[in-house]
Amino acid sequence: MRLMSFLSLLLSLALPAKAEVEVHATGDLGVVIERTTGSVLIVDQSDMDVLARVEGFGDLSHASAVFSPDARFAYIFGRDGGLTKLDLVTQSIAGRVMQAGNSIGGAISDDGRLVAVSNYEPGGVRVFDAQTLDLVADFPTQSKTIGLVDAPGGRFVFSMWDTGETWIVDMSDATPDVTKVSGMGANPYDALITGDGRRYIVGLFGEDGMSTLDLWSDAPVAQRILPGYGRGEEPLPVYKMPHLEGWALAGDRFALPAVGRHELLWLDAQKLTELGRTKTHGQPVFAVARPDGRHVWVNYAHPHNDTVQVIEAASGEVLHTLKPGPAVLHMEFTARGHQVWVSVRDANRIDIYDTQTFEKIGEVPAETPSGIFFTARAHRIGL
């Protein structure tokens, strides 16, 4: 044994030393989508800096991300149907599959075992093993699918543009159980799930109003809310559809972008009835609440997409107006809300603001940045 130990020591001395790899804890990291270059930045929130640029993600013209429960892996959903697993520790692609022809986002199950992808072509939702990216289940719908979210109990929920249905897929057992809810309305364009996992709310493009499901019910049924809401009494041009993920829960109310209108709509979070409206600079795209719910930050569609407004939830008043630059596409708060990162696509940078003073405190260079996603999302339902 002593001879073996001596030989091992000699061998180790003879071999060249391995280069040290700097390992970052992932709880303070995030990813930034570079939409025209097919690349993703790994960023450090505390240092306000880029750790790495990773290439090879395909078409990211409409892309989003979710994270594994341990926040090591980001799953990037590309427009071209690509599902890519990014290792934030090794700063490299850990797996990639081309699973469809045209995708529109995805979700990860509450236990982190499964990743689901929503598809325009060929339609439907496909579910993959989060470790291997092997196909686990395929749910053809004969329709474009939208509004895919995770729900408690190993479930995924999504809606159909063409048929106005919502499906609830329970993946907790070996054989998936599918509940189909009809009558959600004409042309659902996006959806969200509330942070407690109870309500699934669908925005409608084909008619005024919205629909909701109570996911705590044993037999959920479609319930119409906000009759007359939507594109308004007269048809109005819609320059960019608002994202329902951008609904902000601020205290006892939701703040949501009004489709095709220069307004932010306030909705009672319990009764789902309208409380009032705030006139805004343009057509809102994202309305994102600071984590404490006190302020809502709003960005806008073209031609007003150089502006961000900060609105007080309690009063509905505009407190501050920022002009970050051309084509503000997305905003992401740090986990406790002391900073907000703002992507300014046509200026090729991310601006970072102090959310108390509204002062710009830093910037990060990026090639045509769009979505910003921090790993804190790993621990929140629906994100």
Side-chain angles (χ1 to χ4, degrees), residues 23 31 125 171 181 201 212 215 223 278 326:
V23 176
V31 297
V125 167
M171 296 291 297
V181 181
I201 302 174
T212 183
L215 298 180
Q223 175 189 352
T278 298

Side-chain angles (χ1 to χ4, degrees), residues 161-205:
W161 166 269
D162 299 292
T163 64
E165 285 186 319
T166 292
W167 290 11
I168 304 168
V169 176
D170 188 338
M171 296 291 297
S172 59
D173 292 329
T175 301
D177 180 68
V178 181
T179 300
K180 300 179 181 181
V181 181
S182 60
M184 295 297 289
N187 301 130
Y189 70 86
D190 201 2
L192 65 84
I193 188 171
T194 53
D196 59 5
R198 179 171 185 174
R199 293 191 180 278
Y200 179 76
I201 302 174
V202 176
L204 302 175
F205 189 74

Side-chain angles (χ1 to χ4, degrees), residues 84-292:
T84 309
K85 183 178 180 180
L86 172 63
D87 190 329
L88 301 182
V89 174
T90 65
Q91 300 173 356
S92 62
I93 290 177
R96 177 170 166 82
V97 294
M98 293 297 295
Q99 58 82 45
N102 189 337
S103 298
I104 195 67
I108 188 167
S109 61
D110 54 3
D111 59 7
R113 294 186 305 108
L114 303 171
V115 176
V117 189
S118 178
N119 295 312
Y120 274 5
E121 295 178 6
V125 167
R126 289 176 173 163
V127 181
F128 299 84
D129 183 287
Q131 289 192 347
T132 64
L133 298 188
D134 291 337
L135 182 65
V136 172
D138 189 1
F139 299 97
T141 62
Q142 309 303 316
S143 169
K144 297 178 180 178
T145 54
I146 60 91
L148 171 63
V149 300
D150 64 280
R155 295 179 295 171
F156 294 108
V157 188
F158 52 91
S159 297
M160 270 58 76
W161 166 269
D162 299 292
T163 64
E165 285 186 319
T166 292
W167 290 11
I168 304 168
V169 176
D170 188 338
M171 296 291 297
S172 59
D173 292 329
T175 301
D177 180 68
V178 181
T179 300
K180 300 179 181 181
V181 181
S182 60
M184 295 297 289
N187 301 130
Y189 70 86
D190 201 2
L192 65 84
I193 188 171
T194 53
D196 59 5
R198 179 171 185 174
R199 293 191 180 278
Y200 179 76
I201 302 174
V202 176
L204 302 175
F205 189 74
E207 60 182 275
D208 286 348
M210 312 182 85
S211 294
T212 183
L213 295 178
D214 185 349
L215 298 180
W216 289 4
S217 171
D218 292 333
V221 295
Q223 175 189 352
R224 294 301 178 91
I225 58 175
L226 298 178
Y229 163 71
R231 301 185 67 185
E233 294 77 10
E234 298 179 4
L236 297 171
V238 179
Y239 296 106
K240 182 175 175 61
M241 292 300 296
H243 287 258
L244 292 198
E245 180 200 328
W247 279 34
L249 178 59
D252 61 352
R253 61 196 61 197
F254 285 112
L256 58 120
V259 178
R261 305 178 72 88
H262 292 198
E263 292 178 335
L264 192 69
L265 184 65
W266 299 94
L267 182 72
D268 186 291
Q270 296 300 320
K271 299 177 182 178
L272 299 180
T273 54
E274 184 178 336
L275 296 174
R277 302 190 179 199
T278 298
K279 292 191 178 299
T280 57
H281 176 72
Q283 293 182 16
V285 177
F286 284 101
V288 186
R290 200 171 69 182
D292 65 356

